[in-house]
């Protein structure tokens, strides 16, 4: 951990902090450039209805990406979040449609059940990958199949629907024209930002990504911090499942296919290094906006789905190349 009482270390910490600010500023300028481009070439882009659509559309990806940020910061990856979201949605859907419950009881039970399902999957990913020192890529690839299969089995491969009206109303509710579901995602960004910047847990998440052995030799339980990062990722998948249900009024076992790719893309575009130890949840927020604005704008200018996928892929590759040069610069 950085000793800020040492002038050299303090200067280095300030330099990295300034670098982080400039990095986020660069991402923000890229987002602004994309917004200006679509504003010029599409007359409906900056309308209030379209802005509301963008905020709503990025909500689930932003929530998943917040959890993914913790995992990538420790040098891991979670390929299971889309499937875990589907499993959590099915579990919550079964809970909310249980007979004999009042609307309030059913909603509370569904929220708790969905979050618990996500947490259990996250703990499993963290324990297995940390205890046996196995690549999280492989473990979470296995969980991707386990969770998807479990979602299909529990639901008998059927979509669950007929939720309480209050739950459905929440998914479309607004405050001063801002979707409540987006405000939930924004609140999660704030909480994650606080954890990563002002708690021992957050500092050690960065520390593990930078030098895991040094954190271990300093006497910190690296195992539990790794499990904690994956648990947070699973929790975020559970919350995303609840938001998905409230927005679409269904719980489908095939929901969330390839959602993990968009979440990873938002984190990487936002400046978090794939090798761990560098990045911020504010960058993740900007990355999620870039993906959402890009997808929305490309639709408005009339590009088909194939072209949109190609352009998004190019943006992701450029972000990874930039990450390479950021890492090279940081090592100097």
């Amino acid at each position: 951990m950085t000793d800020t009482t040492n002038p050299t270390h303090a200067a280095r910490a300030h330099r990295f902090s300034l670098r982080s600010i400039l990095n986020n500023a660069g991402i923000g300028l890229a987002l602004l450039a994309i917004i200006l481009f679509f504003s010029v070439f599409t007359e409906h882009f900056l309308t209030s209805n379209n802005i509301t659509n963008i905020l709503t559309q990025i909500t689930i990806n932003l929530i998943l990406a917040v959890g993914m940020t913790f995992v990538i910061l420790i040098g891991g990856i979670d390929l299971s979040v889309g499937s875990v979201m589907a499993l959590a949605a099915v579990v919550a859907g079964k809970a909310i449609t249980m007979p004999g419950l009042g609307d309030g009881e059913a909603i509370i039970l569904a929220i708790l059940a969905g979050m618990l399902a996500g947490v259990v999957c996250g703990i499993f990913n963290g324990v297995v990958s940390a205890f046996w020192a196995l690549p999280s890529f492989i473990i979470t690839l296995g969980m991707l199949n386990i969770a998807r299969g479990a979602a299909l089995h529990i639901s008998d491969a059927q979509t669950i629907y007929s939720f309480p009206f209050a739950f459905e109303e929440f998914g479309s509710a607004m405050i001063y024209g801002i979707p409540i579901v987006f405000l939930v995602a924004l609140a999660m960004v704030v909480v994650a930002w606080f954890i990563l910047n002002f708690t021992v847990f957050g500092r050690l998440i960065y520390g593990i990504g930078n030098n895991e052995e040094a954190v271990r030799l300093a006497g910190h339980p690296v195992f539990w911090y790794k499990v904690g990062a994956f648990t947070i990722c699973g929790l975020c998948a559970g919350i995303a499942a609840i938001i998905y249900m409230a927005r679409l009024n269904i719980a489908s076992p095939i929901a969330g296919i390839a959602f993990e790719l968009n979440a990873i893309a938002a984190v990487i575009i936002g400046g978090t290094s794939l090798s761990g130890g560098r990045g911020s949840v504010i960058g993740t927020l900007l990355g999620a906006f870039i993906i959402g604005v890009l997808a929305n704008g490309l639709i408005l200018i009339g590009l088909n789905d194939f072209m949109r996928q190609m352009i998004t892929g190019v943006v992701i590759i450029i972000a990874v190349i930039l990450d390479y040069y950021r890492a090279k610069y940081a090592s100097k």
Side-chain angles (χ1 to χ4, degrees):
M1 294 176 64
T2 302
D3 179 11
T4 55
T5 61
N6 184 303
T8 302
H9 288 169
R12 188 178 302 157
H14 176 74
R15 180 161 55 92
F16 278 115
S17 175
L18 180 60
R19 202 176 281 168
S20 176
I21 292 170
L22 292 175
N23 182 48
N24 287 337
I27 299 165
L29 289 174
L31 175 60
L32 181 60
I34 293 171
I35 291 173
L36 290 174
F37 174 83
F38 288 125
S39 300
V40 170
F41 289 97
T42 59
E43 58 179 321
H44 301 295
F45 182 77
L46 281 183
T47 62
S48 59
N49 285 340
N50 193 55
I51 291 172
T52 299
N53 286 338
I54 293 173
L55 295 179
T56 303
Q57 289 162 5
I58 72 169
T59 294
I60 291 176
N61 188 39
L62 177 56
I63 293 173
L64 293 175
V66 167
M68 189 69 72
T69 302
F70 283 83
V71 173
I72 293 180
L73 280 173
I74 63 170
I77 201 82
D78 191 341
L79 298 179
S80 69
V81 291
S83 295
V84 170
M85 190 192 90
L87 175 59
V90 166
V91 170
K94 285 288 187 180
I96 204 170
T97 55
M98 284 181 61
L101 294 178
D103 286 357
E105 294 172 329
I107 292 172
I108 292 173
L109 180 62
I111 292 172
L112 294 177
M115 291 193 299
L116 180 61
V119 165
V120 169
C121 292
I123 291 174
F124 178 88
N125 287 336
V127 168
V128 174
S129 62
F131 185 82
W132 282 283
L134 297 172
S136 57
F137 175 90
I138 301 299
I139 302 306
T140 58
L141 184 62
M143 176 55 74
L144 180 153
N145 289 285
I146 293 170
R148 184 68 64 186
L152 289 165
H153 175 73
I154 293 170
S155 65
D156 292 324
Q158 301 294 315
T159 297
I160 303 170
Y161 53 90
S162 297
F163 302 152
F165 176 73
F167 187 71
E168 297 178 2
E169 194 175 44
F170 169 76
S172 58
M174 304 268 188
I175 296 180
Y176 298 110
I178 301 175
I180 286 182
V181 292
F182 174 74
L183 293 177
V184 171
L186 196 60
M188 292 178 65
V189 171
V190 172
V191 171
W193 173 81
F194 179 84
I195 290 172
L196 288 171
N197 288 279
F198 298 102
T199 68
V200 172
F201 176 83
R203 292 196 295 274
L204 290 175
I205 289 294
Y206 281 103
I208 291 170
N210 279 310
N211 192 330
E212 180 178 331
E213 188 60 24
V215 175
R216 182 178 289 107
L217 292 174
H220 297 288
V222 170
F223 173 85
W224 290 113
Y225 285 103
K226 284 187 168 183
V227 172
F230 279 97
T231 301
I232 289 172
C233 194
L235 174 62
C236 288
I239 295 172
I242 302 301
I243 298 298
Y244 151 81
M245 291 170 60
R247 276 189 55 205
L248 301 182
N249 304 323
I250 61 170
S252 170
I254 61 172
I257 294 177
F259 277 26
E260 59 277 355
L261 302 181
N262 282 335
I264 294 169
V267 177
I268 301 307
I269 290 172
T272 298
S273 173
L274 276 170
S275 59
R278 298 191 314 279
S280 74
V281 73
I282 301 301
T284 295
L285 170 66
L286 295 174
F289 263 108
I290 286 176
I291 291 177
V293 168
L294 193 61
N296 179 273
L298 292 175
I299 290 173
L300 290 180
I301 64 176
L303 288 187
N304 60 40
D305 186 55
F306 308 118
M307 289 298 297
R308 294 200 303 273
Q309 289 185 39
M310 290 171 62
I311 292 173
T312 302
V314 169
V315 170
I316 293 171
I317 291 172
I318 291 173
V320 173
I321 293 172
L322 290 175
D323 174 59
Y324 167 80
Y325 285 104
R326 279 195 299 264
K328 189 175 180 179
Y329 174 65
S331 65
K332 293 181 179 179

